């Protein structure tokens, strides 16, 4: 597989001194920055109103809509970063997989990958040509974010997590089809990882060129693998993706769930920050990752459904585990849930800011 060289871009100086970007660089910040995975979503009435009668993909592919949804949580609360409204599955249709987001069910792919031939029929088109709306959305969002001092995060899914959807055809509990393919067709599996690496590196380069000031790579489901399988089947292509992304000149967060056992391997790929799910205490996580890496996390999103007493207690517990060291970005340990009361989210953002103000 040919790998076009990734352009080296000049770092964007805008909002360089924001708490979020300082922390991403491992520098001391005036307070602990806070943002939440899925901070734009169904828990917000503004989101539900805008989504009414419109499909997920329509919103993603219409820059004015994607920009508006991205800004909804920023307008409602003092978040320290915005994340572009998009989905990790957006590259699948442009590669030839028929994706639909089915309400109440989740993503569905009608022509999932079943054979090595199916891998070879996947296209790897240039992101700028087939997903131009993403760069447009980023440019629109930046116009609104820059005067507010809020930096923008771009993102992609990681090769394993995307392969799991491409092969299962939907979300999964045990990734049985994915593992069967990985073990049974190792050559085709590696070709699939390479194809994802190529399109994802290109897509992230497009996002950074358009104005994303940091990026997160979501490897949400990689925790289903043993250490051996991660190293053998996933680490090489993911490592190349992270290496190429780092050359873009913006800081990189690498996130997964149920990854306690994988943290030494995942962190060795050299992202600036490791996203930690709610299962691992942050002081333990810090011992498992590389020296100098930051951590992002890691409140159980269910705690935002209350009571405040327990939410406050566990927020204090997390901040105590961090114990004032630089390089902590406060976040949930997995995305916000649709049942989350907006008031609890706002109260939490304010509380972390107050407790960590220097
Ligand atoms: O964080 C943000 O606010 C940015 C937006 C964002 C979405 N998806 C919007 C979305 C991000 C960062 C994602 C990433 C994503 N998408 C992941 C990785 C994070 C994680 O949760 O592990 C994954 C696995 C997906 C795939 C996906 N997209 C699933 C499984 C679903 C259905 C489940 C669900 O929550 O509905 C989606 C749909 C989706 N992506 C929604 C949103 C707001 C809900 C769609 C709706 O409004 O009905």
């Amino acid at each position: 597989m040919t790998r076009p060289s990734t352009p080296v871009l000049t770092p964007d100086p805008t909002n360089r001194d924001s708490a979020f970007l300082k922390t991403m660089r491992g520098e001391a910040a005036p307070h602990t920055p806070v943002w939440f995975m899925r901070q734009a979503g169904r828990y917000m009435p503004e989101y539900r109103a805008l989504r009414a009668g419109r499909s997920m993909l329509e919103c993603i592919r219409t820059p004015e809509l994607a920009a508006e949804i991205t800004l909804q949580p920023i307008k409602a609360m003092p978040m320290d970063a915005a994340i572009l409204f998009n989905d990790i599955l957006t590259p699948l249709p442009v590669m030839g997989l028929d994706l639909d987001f089915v309400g109440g069910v989740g993503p569905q792919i009608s022509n999932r990958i079943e054979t090595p031939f199916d891998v070879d029929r996947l296209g790897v088109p240039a992101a700028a040509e087939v997903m131009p709306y993403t760069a447009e959305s980023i440019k629109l969002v930046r116009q609104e974010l820059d005067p507010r001092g809020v930096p923008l995060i771009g993102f992609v899914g990681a090769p394993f997590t995307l392969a799991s959807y491409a092969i299962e055809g939907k979300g999964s509990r045990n990734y049985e089809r994915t593992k069967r393919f990985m073990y049974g067709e190792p050559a085709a599996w590696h070709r699939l990882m390479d194809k994802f690496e190529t399109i994802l590196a290109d897509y992230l380069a497009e996002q950074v060129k358009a104005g994303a000031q940091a990026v997160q790579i979501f490897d949400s489901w990689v925790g289903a693998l043993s250490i051996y399988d991660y190293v053998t089947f996933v680490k090489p292509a993911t490592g190349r993706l992270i290496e190429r992304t780092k050359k873009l000149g913006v800081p990189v967060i690498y996130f997964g769930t149920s990854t306690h056992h994988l943290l030494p391997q995942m962190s060795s790929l050299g992202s600036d920050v490791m996203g930690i799910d709610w299962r691992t205490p942050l002081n333990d996580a810090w011992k498992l990752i590389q020296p100098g890496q930051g951590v992002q996390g890691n409140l159980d999103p269910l705690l935002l459904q209350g009571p405040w007493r327990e939410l406050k207690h566990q927020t204090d517990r997390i901040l105590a585990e961090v114990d004032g060291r630089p390089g902590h970005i406060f976040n949930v340990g997995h995305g916000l849930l649709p049942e989350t009361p907006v008031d609890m989210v706002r109260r939490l953002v304010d509380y972390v800011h107050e407790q960590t103000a220097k």
Side-chain angles (χ1 to χ4, degrees):
M1 170 120 283
T2 54
R3 293 198 180 87
S5 63
T6 315
V8 180
L9 304 168
T10 313
D12 179 349
T14 315
N15 296 326
R16 225 184 155 271
D17 293 329
S18 58
F20 175 73
L21 289 178
K22 275 193 151 176
T23 304
M24 287 286 280
R25 297 194 299 267
E27 297 167 16
H31 62 261
T32 297
V34 186
W35 72 278
F36 297 116
M37 294 183 278
R38 294 279 179 101
Q39 65 189 19
R42 278 167 299 183
Y43 77 102
M44 292 193 82
E46 302 92 307
Y47 175 83
R48 293 194 299 270
L50 202 142
R51 273 295 311 280
R54 295 191 178 104
S55 75
M56 183 73 190
L57 288 170
E58 180 192 345
C59 292
I60 289 171
R61 292 170 181 163
T62 311
E64 293 74 20
L65 294 175
E68 181 56 30
I69 298 173
T70 304
L71 292 165
Q72 286 175 341
I74 307 304
K75 289 176 179 168
M77 289 165 278
M79 304 292 189
D80 290 281
I83 181 161
L84 184 71
F85 182 74
N86 194 358
D87 197 273
I88 62 166
L89 305 182
T90 303
L92 299 186
V94 305
M95 299 176 79
L97 293 164
D98 296 325
L99 168 72
D100 194 10
F101 288 96
V102 183
V105 183
Q108 303 276 316
I109 293 158
S110 54
N111 58 345
R112 67 184 177 83
I113 292 171
E114 296 182 79
T115 67
F117 174 75
D118 295 334
V119 172
D120 298 327
R121 76 177 157 80
L122 287 183
V124 187
E129 274 162 38
V130 290
M131 296 177 282
Y133 40 82
T134 299
E136 282 308 308
S137 306
I138 289 172
K139 288 176 194 159
L140 285 179
V141 171
R142 280 288 305 271
Q143 288 171 20
E144 298 279 332
L145 290 177
D146 287 358
R148 291 180 160 86
V150 177
L152 179 67
I153 304 168
F155 69 91
V156 294
F160 174 81
T161 292
L162 288 189
S164 81
Y165 284 98
I167 296 172
E168 303 288 334
K170 55 186 181 189
S172 172
R173 196 175 287 269
N174 295 316
Y175 308 95
E176 289 164 20
R177 286 171 174 166
T178 308
K179 289 184 181 181
R180 237 177 260 137
F181 194 92
M182 193 173 84
Y183 301 138
E185 300 289 351
W189 170 268
H190 285 295
R191 291 202 297 281
L192 179 61
M193 292 289 102
D194 284 357
K195 284 191 167 186
F196 280 131
E197 176 212 330
T198 302
I199 195 161
L200 297 170
D202 180 39
Y203 195 27
L204 281 176
E206 280 304 306
Q207 294 183 34
V208 172
K209 253 194 271 174
Q213 292 151 298
V215 299
Q216 175 155 325
I217 298 174
F218 284 90
D219 214 347
S220 301
W221 312 132
V222 76
L225 296 179
S226 68
I227 295 172
Y228 176 84
D229 285 349
Y230 181 77
V231 170
T232 308
F233 295 104
V234 173
K235 192 178 173 186
T238 313
R240 291 191 300 268
L241 173 62
I242 292 178
E243 206 177 295
R244 291 169 70 175
T245 306
K246 283 176 67 176
K247 292 199 184 125
L248 299 173
V250 300
V252 182
I253 308 165
Y254 182 32
F255 165 80
T257 70
S258 300
T259 53
H260 186 106
H261 64 299
L262 296 179
L263 285 177
Q265 288 297 337
M266 289 174 72
S267 64
S268 74
L269 299 182
S271 63
D272 300 271
V273 172
M274 289 300 298
I276 309 293
D277 84 354
W278 70 87
R279 295 168 179 88
T280 302
L282 293 186
N283 44 357
D284 286 358
W286 247 310
K287 288 181 203 138
L288 295 168
I289 65 177
Q290 307 301 304
Q293 269 175 328
V295 300
Q296 173 175 279
N298 73 340
L299 187 89
D300 187 330
L302 207 87
L303 283 162
L304 280 149
Q305 294 175 30
W308 169 252
R309 169 182 50 74
E310 186 64 19
L311 173 57
K312 175 181 176 300
H313 168 67
Q314 298 244 10
T315 302
D316 291 339
R317 190 255 310 156
I318 290 167
L319 294 176
E321 287 163 9
V322 173
D323 198 19
R325 48 195 293 185
H328 174 226
I329 295 155
F330 194 94
N331 205 314
V332 274
H334 203 169
L336 293 181
L337 299 161
E339 299 80 11
T340 309
V342 178
D343 280 347
M344 291 288 266
V345 180
R346 185 180 296 114
R347 201 169 168 186
L348 177 61
V349 178
D350 288 339
Y351 185 72
V352 173
H353 284 163
E354 277 159 34
Q355 291 301 305
T356 60
K358 298 207 176 71

